[in-house]
Amino acid sequence: SDTAVTGEVTLRGHVLPVGGIRDKVLAAIRGGVKHVLLPVANKRHVLEDIPAKSLEGVEIHYLKTVDEALDWVFGATLAVDDRGVSAKEATSAGRVAPLSMRSRL
């Protein structure tokens, strides 16, 4: 895979910052990763702690919610159910739990 992800996710789907961003991003780059998904709250750590030259050839994507990560991975267009309601619309309207909150049956 060419994508690395880090962050902590709340039960409500918010992506929280984590420590060790510099080491995690540099390790991902050494591993050949081309895309890194990080919490938006860790943006300053990337800008302050990682040399710009090290980030050449790597795209950093900043996330606020797990839904943004899912949209990035699977594309912004989500499946539509038999009523014509997309999963994203149903989730935002409170009709179903976000994918991150659904339990496996």
mmCIF file of all heavy atoms in Angstrom, residues 30-55:
data_model
loop_
_atom_site.group_PDB
_atom_site.id
_atom_site.type_symbol
_atom_site.label_atom_id
_atom_site.label_comp_id
_atom_site.label_asym_id
_atom_site.label_seq_id
_atom_site.Cartn_x
_atom_site.Cartn_y
_atom_site.Cartn_z
ATOM 1 N N ARG A 30 10.395 6.469 4.575
ATOM 2 C CA ARG A 30 11.434 5.444 4.356
ATOM 3 C C ARG A 30 10.825 4.147 3.838
ATOM 4 O O ARG A 30 11.457 3.402 3.085
ATOM 5 C CB ARG A 30 12.204 5.167 5.646
ATOM 6 C CG ARG A 30 13.252 6.208 5.957
ATOM 7 C CD ARG A 30 14.188 5.759 7.061
ATOM 8 N NE ARG A 30 13.506 5.383 8.291
ATOM 9 C CZ ARG A 30 13.200 6.217 9.284
ATOM 10 N NH1 ARG A 30 13.514 7.487 9.186
ATOM 11 N NH2 ARG A 30 12.582 5.787 10.363
ATOM 12 N N GLY A 31 9.591 3.887 4.217
ATOM 13 C CA GLY A 31 8.892 2.680 3.775
ATOM 14 C C GLY A 31 8.267 2.793 2.396
ATOM 15 O O GLY A 31 7.612 1.866 1.932
ATOM 16 N N GLY A 32 8.421 3.939 1.746
ATOM 17 C CA GLY A 32 7.900 4.109 0.392
ATOM 18 C C GLY A 32 6.475 4.613 0.298
ATOM 19 O O GLY A 32 5.861 4.574 -0.768
ATOM 20 N N VAL A 33 5.929 5.097 1.384
ATOM 21 C CA VAL A 33 4.555 5.608 1.394
ATOM 22 C C VAL A 33 4.478 6.923 0.616
ATOM 23 O O VAL A 33 5.373 7.759 0.712
ATOM 24 C CB VAL A 33 4.085 5.795 2.858
ATOM 25 C CG1 VAL A 33 2.812 6.588 2.937
ATOM 26 C CG2 VAL A 33 3.926 4.450 3.514
ATOM 27 N N LYS A 34 3.420 7.097 -0.159
ATOM 28 C CA LYS A 34 3.228 8.323 -0.952
ATOM 29 C C LYS A 34 2.158 9.246 -0.378
ATOM 30 O O LYS A 34 2.109 10.417 -0.705
ATOM 31 C CB LYS A 34 2.850 7.958 -2.394
ATOM 32 C CG LYS A 34 3.905 7.145 -3.092
ATOM 33 C CD LYS A 34 5.186 7.923 -3.239
ATOM 34 C CE LYS A 34 6.237 7.074 -3.932
ATOM 35 N NZ LYS A 34 7.581 7.537 -3.685
ATOM 36 N N HIS A 35 1.273 8.699 0.461
ATOM 37 C CA HIS A 35 0.190 9.476 1.072
ATOM 38 C C HIS A 35 0.179 9.199 2.569
ATOM 39 O O HIS A 35 0.209 8.041 2.987
ATOM 40 C CB HIS A 35 -1.177 9.094 0.489
ATOM 41 C CG HIS A 35 -1.262 9.281 -0.986
ATOM 42 N ND1 HIS A 35 -1.544 10.489 -1.562
ATOM 43 C CD2 HIS A 35 -1.070 8.409 -1.997
ATOM 44 C CE1 HIS A 35 -1.545 10.347 -2.879
ATOM 45 N NE2 HIS A 35 -1.255 9.102 -3.165
ATOM 46 N N VAL A 36 0.102 10.273 3.358
ATOM 47 C CA VAL A 36 0.037 10.135 4.813
ATOM 48 C C VAL A 36 -1.192 10.888 5.294
ATOM 49 O O VAL A 36 -1.348 12.072 5.005
ATOM 50 C CB VAL A 36 1.307 10.687 5.500
ATOM 51 C CG1 VAL A 36 1.207 10.549 7.004
ATOM 52 C CG2 VAL A 36 2.551 9.970 4.974
ATOM 53 N N LEU A 37 -2.089 10.214 6.004
ATOM 54 C CA LEU A 37 -3.281 10.835 6.562
ATOM 55 C C LEU A 37 -3.043 11.085 8.042
ATOM 56 O O LEU A 37 -2.753 10.152 8.792
ATOM 57 C CB LEU A 37 -4.501 9.923 6.379
ATOM 58 C CG LEU A 37 -5.135 9.893 4.983
ATOM 59 C CD1 LEU A 37 -4.209 9.369 3.931
ATOM 60 C CD2 LEU A 37 -6.419 9.100 5.012
ATOM 61 N N LEU A 38 -3.165 12.366 8.448
ATOM 62 C CA LEU A 38 -2.874 12.781 9.817
ATOM 63 C C LEU A 38 -4.002 13.635 10.374
ATOM 64 O O LEU A 38 -4.718 14.295 9.622
ATOM 65 C CB LEU A 38 -1.591 13.620 9.855
ATOM 66 C CG LEU A 38 -0.299 12.979 9.386
ATOM 67 C CD1 LEU A 38 0.797 14.022 9.316
ATOM 68 C CD2 LEU A 38 0.093 11.868 10.328
ATOM 69 N N PRO A 39 -4.115 13.696 11.699
ATOM 70 C CA PRO A 39 -5.077 14.621 12.310
ATOM 71 C C PRO A 39 -4.700 16.067 11.969
ATOM 72 O O PRO A 39 -3.513 16.423 11.951
ATOM 73 C CB PRO A 39 -4.912 14.365 13.814
ATOM 74 C CG PRO A 39 -4.301 13.009 13.906
ATOM 75 C CD PRO A 39 -3.439 12.864 12.701
ATOM 76 N N VAL A 40 -5.690 16.890 11.713
ATOM 77 C CA VAL A 40 -5.440 18.296 11.388
ATOM 78 C C VAL A 40 -4.722 19.006 12.538
ATOM 79 O O VAL A 40 -3.925 19.919 12.309
ATOM 80 C CB VAL A 40 -6.744 19.014 10.976
ATOM 81 C CG1 VAL A 40 -7.652 19.253 12.170
ATOM 82 C CG2 VAL A 40 -6.449 20.320 10.269
ATOM 83 N N ALA A 41 -4.959 18.570 13.755
ATOM 84 C CA ALA A 41 -4.310 19.186 14.918
ATOM 85 C C ALA A 41 -2.807 18.909 14.957
ATOM 86 O O ALA A 41 -2.086 19.564 15.701
ATOM 87 C CB ALA A 41 -4.975 18.700 16.207
ATOM 88 N N ASN A 42 -2.320 17.973 14.165
ATOM 89 C CA ASN A 42 -0.891 17.684 14.102
ATOM 90 C C ASN A 42 -0.188 18.424 12.960
ATOM 91 O O ASN A 42 1.000 18.231 12.724
ATOM 92 C CB ASN A 42 -0.632 16.186 13.951
ATOM 93 C CG ASN A 42 -0.830 15.425 15.234
ATOM 94 O OD1 ASN A 42 -1.692 14.559 15.315
ATOM 95 N ND2 ASN A 42 -0.047 15.749 16.248
ATOM 96 N N LYS A 43 -0.905 19.288 12.267
ATOM 97 C CA LYS A 43 -0.327 19.991 11.114
ATOM 98 C C LYS A 43 0.903 20.803 11.513
ATOM 99 O O LYS A 43 1.916 20.797 10.823
ATOM 100 C CB LYS A 43 -1.375 20.900 10.470
ATOM 101 C CG LYS A 43 -0.903 21.549 9.199
ATOM 102 C CD LYS A 43 -2.031 22.303 8.519
ATOM 103 C CE LYS A 43 -1.584 22.816 7.173
ATOM 104 N NZ LYS A 43 -2.699 23.404 6.413
ATOM 105 N N ARG A 44 0.840 21.486 12.641
ATOM 106 C CA ARG A 44 1.974 22.319 13.048
ATOM 107 C C ARG A 44 3.209 21.471 13.328
ATOM 108 O O ARG A 44 4.331 21.903 13.103
ATOM 109 C CB ARG A 44 1.616 23.193 14.238
ATOM 110 C CG ARG A 44 1.523 22.506 15.570
ATOM 111 C CD ARG A 44 1.276 23.516 16.712
ATOM 112 N NE ARG A 44 1.180 22.829 17.971
ATOM 113 C CZ ARG A 44 2.229 22.564 18.751
ATOM 114 N NH1 ARG A 44 3.426 22.946 18.394
ATOM 115 N NH2 ARG A 44 2.064 21.917 19.888
ATOM 116 N N HIS A 45 3.016 20.242 13.791
ATOM 117 C CA HIS A 45 4.154 19.356 14.038
ATOM 118 C C HIS A 45 4.864 19.002 12.732
ATOM 119 O O HIS A 45 6.087 18.919 12.688
ATOM 120 C CB HIS A 45 3.715 18.087 14.770
ATOM 121 C CG HIS A 45 3.145 18.364 16.115
ATOM 122 N ND1 HIS A 45 1.823 18.138 16.402
ATOM 123 C CD2 HIS A 45 3.696 18.889 17.229
ATOM 124 C CE1 HIS A 45 1.595 18.499 17.651
ATOM 125 N NE2 HIS A 45 2.717 18.961 18.180
ATOM 126 N N VAL A 46 4.094 18.792 11.689
ATOM 127 C CA VAL A 46 4.682 18.493 10.383
ATOM 128 C C VAL A 46 5.463 19.705 9.894
ATOM 129 O O VAL A 46 6.611 19.585 9.450
ATOM 130 C CB VAL A 46 3.592 18.093 9.359
ATOM 131 C CG1 VAL A 46 4.166 17.977 7.960
ATOM 132 C CG2 VAL A 46 2.921 16.793 9.774
ATOM 133 N N LEU A 47 4.855 20.882 9.993
ATOM 134 C CA LEU A 47 5.496 22.096 9.492
ATOM 135 C C LEU A 47 6.733 22.471 10.292
ATOM 136 O O LEU A 47 7.724 22.950 9.723
ATOM 137 C CB LEU A 47 4.490 23.253 9.493
ATOM 138 C CG LEU A 47 3.254 23.057 8.607
ATOM 139 C CD1 LEU A 47 2.273 24.200 8.803
ATOM 140 C CD2 LEU A 47 3.646 22.917 7.149
ATOM 141 N N GLU A 48 6.708 22.252 11.598
ATOM 142 C CA GLU A 48 7.813 22.670 12.463
ATOM 143 C C GLU A 48 8.910 21.619 12.603
ATOM 144 O O GLU A 48 10.084 21.968 12.736
ATOM 145 C CB GLU A 48 7.288 23.002 13.866
ATOM 146 C CG GLU A 48 6.395 24.207 13.925
ATOM 147 C CD GLU A 48 5.766 24.420 15.299
ATOM 148 O OE1 GLU A 48 6.037 23.621 16.229
ATOM 149 O OE2 GLU A 48 4.986 25.376 15.438
ATOM 150 N N ASP A 49 8.560 20.340 12.584
ATOM 151 C CA ASP A 49 9.506 19.292 12.953
ATOM 152 C C ASP A 49 10.100 18.502 11.789
ATOM 153 O O ASP A 49 11.092 17.799 11.971
ATOM 154 C CB ASP A 49 8.846 18.294 13.912
ATOM 155 C CG ASP A 49 8.380 18.946 15.203
ATOM 156 O OD1 ASP A 49 8.871 20.033 15.530
ATOM 157 O OD2 ASP A 49 7.519 18.356 15.873
ATOM 158 N N ILE A 50 9.491 18.595 10.612
ATOM 159 C CA ILE A 50 9.965 17.779 9.489
ATOM 160 C C ILE A 50 10.501 18.695 8.399
ATOM 161 O O ILE A 50 9.785 19.589 7.931
ATOM 162 C CB ILE A 50 8.834 16.891 8.942
ATOM 163 C CG1 ILE A 50 8.272 16.010 10.070
ATOM 164 C CG2 ILE A 50 9.333 16.040 7.786
ATOM 165 C CD1 ILE A 50 7.048 15.230 9.686
ATOM 166 N N PRO A 51 11.731 18.492 7.975
ATOM 167 C CA PRO A 51 12.292 19.325 6.904
ATOM 168 C C PRO A 51 11.473 19.193 5.615
ATOM 169 O O PRO A 51 11.055 18.093 5.238
ATOM 170 C CB PRO A 51 13.700 18.761 6.703
ATOM 171 C CG PRO A 51 13.995 17.952 7.920
ATOM 172 C CD PRO A 51 12.682 17.499 8.458
ATOM 173 N N ALA A 52 11.239 20.323 4.958
ATOM 174 C CA ALA A 52 10.447 20.332 3.727
ATOM 175 C C ALA A 52 11.047 19.403 2.676
ATOM 176 O O ALA A 52 10.317 18.756 1.915
ATOM 177 C CB ALA A 52 10.330 21.749 3.192
ATOM 178 N N LYS A 53 12.353 19.309 2.634
ATOM 179 C CA LYS A 53 13.020 18.441 1.653
ATOM 180 C C LYS A 53 12.629 16.971 1.864
ATOM 181 O O LYS A 53 12.498 16.214 0.900
ATOM 182 C CB LYS A 53 14.522 18.607 1.744
ATOM 183 C CG LYS A 53 15.277 17.897 0.661
ATOM 184 C CD LYS A 53 16.616 18.546 0.431
ATOM 185 C CE LYS A 53 17.337 17.880 -0.715
ATOM 186 N NZ LYS A 53 17.138 18.530 -1.982
ATOM 187 N N SER A 54 12.406 16.581 3.109
ATOM 188 C CA SER A 54 12.013 15.200 3.411
ATOM 189 C C SER A 54 10.613 14.886 2.903
ATOM 190 O O SER A 54 10.283 13.726 2.654
ATOM 191 C CB SER A 54 12.052 14.956 4.915
ATOM 192 O OG SER A 54 13.344 15.098 5.402
ATOM 193 N N LEU A 55 9.779 15.916 2.764
ATOM 194 C CA LEU A 55 8.386 15.709 2.366
ATOM 195 C C LEU A 55 8.183 15.711 0.851
ATOM 196 O O LEU A 55 7.062 15.526 0.391
ATOM 197 C CB LEU A 55 7.506 16.786 3.006
ATOM 198 C CG LEU A 55 7.423 16.737 4.529
ATOM 199 C CD1 LEU A 55 6.635 17.935 5.052
ATOM 200 C CD2 LEU A 55 6.816 15.439 5.006
#
